[in-house]
Amino acid sequence: QVQVMESGGGSVQAGGSLTLSCAASGAASRYLAGSYCVGFSRQAPGKEREGVATIDFDDKTTFADSVKGRFTFSKDHDKNIIFLQMSDLRPEDSGMYYCAAEILSGPCAQGDPLAFRHWGQGTQVTVSS
């Protein structure tokens, strides 16, 4: 069983910053070693879930056009925690943010977090104008 935990959501004004964290745990060796892909997606009320960003085994990243230049990844390798640093936030960035984890190379290479299998419960991000 794979568990994905994300945290760090909150409320900020436009132009502000937030950092989301994500960590996955499971019995598979890749999870034990911290070698897994992580993707973030978000869903605003009344809208479909959309992929935001991914980071793969080799720290290769992908970002949706809407967040490029504003969102970045960092890692705590000792604790196997991945951080999505979000800056210059806009009201349209508001929504429930979900972290997903994956160890299969195919979905990881696609760079589409919606294709990842293991999901966290989500954390709310609200950006006010």
Side-chain angles (χ1 to χ4, degrees):
Q1 181 121 9
V2 178
Q3 290 187 321
V4 179
M5 298 290 293
E6 74 266 84
S7 63
S11 297
V12 295
Q13 290 189 327
S17 300
L18 284 172
T19 297
L20 306 183
S21 65
C22 179
S25 60
S29 58
R30 278 195 177 273
Y31 284 112
L32 294 173
S35 180
Y36 51 86
C37 303
V38 162
F40 282 90
S41 61
R42 65 188 180 190
Q43 188 167 20
K47 294 188 176 181
E48 292 187 355
R49 192 174 297 189
E50 62 174 352
V52 174
T54 64
I55 183 167
D56 73 4
F57 311 116
D58 299 319
D59 293 346
K60 180 181 176 183
T61 58
T62 66
F63 295 94
D65 289 342
S66 59
V67 305
K68 281 181 181 176
R70 300 188 295 120
F71 290 15
T72 61
F73 279 106
S74 62
K75 283 185 174 180
D76 182 333
H77 291 280
D78 291 337
K79 297 181 179 179
N80 293 332
I81 300 174
I82 292 170
F83 300 96
L84 180 67
Q85 297 166 313
M86 308 184 295
S87 62
D88 190 22
L89 285 163
R90 305 166 182 170
E92 54 264 39
D93 293 319
S94 297
M96 187 68 79
Y97 280 68
Y98 298 91
C99 177
E102 180 58 68
I103 58 173
L104 296 180
S105 57
C108 287
Q110 290 174 11
D112 178 7
L114 300 181
F116 292 7
R117 292 176 294 162
H118 307 293
W119 291 77
Q121 294 300 307
T123 185
Q124 180 68 37
V125 171
T126 302
V127 184
S128 57
S129 58

